[in-house]
Amino acid sequence: MKSNPYKYSDWQHLIPNIESAINEMSKTPILSVGITPYTRIIPAFFLDNYSIYSAKRSSDVDVIEQYTKMHVLEDMDPAIAKRVHGTSFLVKSPAFKSFLRSIDPSTRLMFYTMTDDLVRTLRELNLPFIGNDPKICEEVKYKSSFRELLKRLEISSPKSKSYFREDFFNSSFDALRQEFSGSFVIQRGDKETGGNEGTFFVHKREDFEHALFAFKQKPDFEQVVVTQFIDGYSTSMLGCAMDQGTISGPLQLQLVDVPESLQSIPNNGIFFGNDLEFKMWNEETEIKAQDIVEKIGAHLYQGGYRGIFGIDFLFDKNRQDIFAIECNPRFTGSLLLHSLSMLELKNPPLEFFHLASHLGIHLEFDFEKVNTALKKRAGYSHISFSPKEIPRMLLPLVAGVYSFNEKEESLVYKGTGISLSDLKSKDDFLLIDTVPQPNYNIEVNVPRLFKLIFPYSIAIASNKIEKRSAFLVNRFASSLIEALKHERNN
């Protein structure tokens, strides 16, 4: 295996008892289980007893297993691996149950997102796990109940209103436009959905008619939330609920509905990445966001929640104010880049605090000092693109480090890479995160296809990126689409 690019001893300036804490953590073998492997890499940089179990042998698995132990379902049972579309199905598979008999019985299984079905399966199989029971998250994971919680906690949020099914169908565009003083956003209120499902931006009557039609095709929906449209930036902040309080990262810009990533699919609030350096708000806004995360973190902790979560915000450019809109009680899409940047800055990532909280390991640290360190901004960004028109991987791409010469428009593969330390110049970028093997099928309905990680800021706004990164995102996406068209024509 390749040598670890990071040392946990570098964190002693923030965690005085780091050596004893890591020794205690190392007594419990940890197996992170999920469909995709790369987002699970961070603990491998500070734990020797850590391994990853994923469904399919994507190109980045070949890179990851140079740094940590990987177990891949596809290597053991290719037929079942083709059918896996969720973690619960994976855990129930005979191949996974057989695999469990080969490992240390004291191993704790680690999950980033928990469902009722997954928890039920783990308990039926008597498997110890690291994760939060979704029953303690119900108040925050649904948009309608989260908005009610914000009111009770006296946290500012955009003007919004919940409508039951029939009331929504009986509403009119003109009435809603008057109610919300202009444009508005319609979302499912009774189901946890991503931006790629059930989010509609309504600026004109045709947008409203489109939303009505879409919801009429969903017989299971009971409630929607209508929210005033805010002209500004989509942002988020990570939190980690612990005994000592809720620590948090910086307010991050979210890259949403970027045209080069959309590749002509509808712009309905799809998250594609983050920019860590972008900051078009003042320090008061940053502090207000932190206060909100700490309030919600305290509420979650009182209910039994432990560890990482994320809060989505909207920053209103006109009013210079910020509003909480959503809570994600799980590891979020913004976590990985923040953790990679923390390692690069010689600070502990949030996964370290998450594991300590779940394993009951005492940490000695100055709360304010750690909170300040976790908010240090770094010049990195990442972005994915939509695979909606790309059912199969038709290019011979491999995960790793690439270099792009903007003047010559030349793209060169430099070799394997997995962390920010592998980016040696501003021309370099990482192509990573479940890069399918050539000719492999791409899972249907996945909102994002692998990510590009850049060692510089790429954002101009939430939905606009600078020309070099835009060229690269478009080049990868359009090349895959063109390869598909060429195959069909031949």
Side-chain angles (χ1 to χ4, degrees), residues 439-452:
N439 292 314
Y440 269 46
N441 290 336
I442 293 169
E443 189 175 343
V444 178
N445 294 326
V446 172
R448 290 169 293 277
L449 189 58
F450 50 80
K451 63 170 58 81
L452 289 77

Side-chain angles (χ1 to χ4, degrees), residues 36-226:
T36 60
Y38 183 63
T39 55
R40 293 169 168 77
I41 189 63
I42 298 299
F45 290 127
F46 59 87
L47 288 177
D48 292 330
N49 63 327
Y50 180 81
S51 57
I52 300 170
Y53 190 104
S54 68
K56 297 174 185 176
R57 180 163 282 280
S58 55
S59 173
D60 41 325
V61 169
D62 300 335
V63 182
I64 294 169
E65 62 188 1
Q66 296 178 35
Y67 294 85
T68 193
K69 194 168 186 179
M70 282 288 311
H71 310 280
V72 184
L73 175 60
E74 187 176 31
D75 295 345
M76 309 170 203
D77 195 327
I80 290 182
K82 286 181 181 179
R83 296 167 51 204
V84 171
H85 297 293
T87 306
S88 184
F89 183 95
L90 187 155
V91 171
K92 290 177 182 178
S93 71
F96 185 75
K97 293 176 183 177
S98 176
F99 163 77
L100 289 176
R101 291 194 286 271
S102 70
I103 65 174
D104 188 328
S106 67
T107 300
R108 295 276 291 271
L109 306 185
M110 182 177 177
F111 300 92
Y112 285 6
T113 301
M114 305 294 294
T115 64
D116 290 330
D117 187 38
L118 177 58
V119 170
R120 187 163 49 248
T121 299
L122 293 170
R123 287 174 176 162
E124 287 172 357
L125 297 174
N126 197 29
L127 297 172
F129 62 90
I130 295 171
N132 289 288
D133 190 322
K135 285 185 171 54
I136 65 177
C137 308
E138 288 181 353
E139 190 178 26
V140 298
K141 70 179 181 180
Y142 301 123
K143 292 177 177 66
S144 58
S145 56
F146 181 61
R147 300 294 170 86
E148 291 301 318
L149 175 64
L150 292 176
K151 291 177 185 176
R152 294 202 305 275
L153 295 179
E154 298 182 341
I155 293 173
S156 59
S157 64
K159 182 177 181 179
S160 65
K161 186 175 179 180
S162 296
Y163 294 83
F164 289 105
R165 183 186 183 92
E166 291 307 315
D167 293 333
F168 172 63
F169 286 145
N170 290 328
S171 61
S172 71
F173 170 73
D174 291 331
L176 289 173
R177 187 172 177 81
Q178 183 175 359
E179 171 82 16
F180 294 98
S181 305
S183 299
F184 51 93
V185 183
I186 304 173
Q187 296 173 295
R188 279 288 290 264
D190 58 344
K191 181 182 178 183
E192 186 179 16
T193 60
N196 59 304
E197 182 187 352
T199 296
F200 300 89
F201 295 96
V202 180
H203 301 289
K204 55 186 184 294
R205 193 177 301 276
E206 290 83 350
D207 298 333
F208 182 65
E209 295 298 331
H210 173 65
L212 281 178
F213 177 80
F215 277 107
K216 284 177 180 176
Q217 311 311 305
K218 301 176 184 293
D220 62 324
F221 103 87
E222 297 177 2
Q223 198 172 20
V224 299
V225 172
V226 181

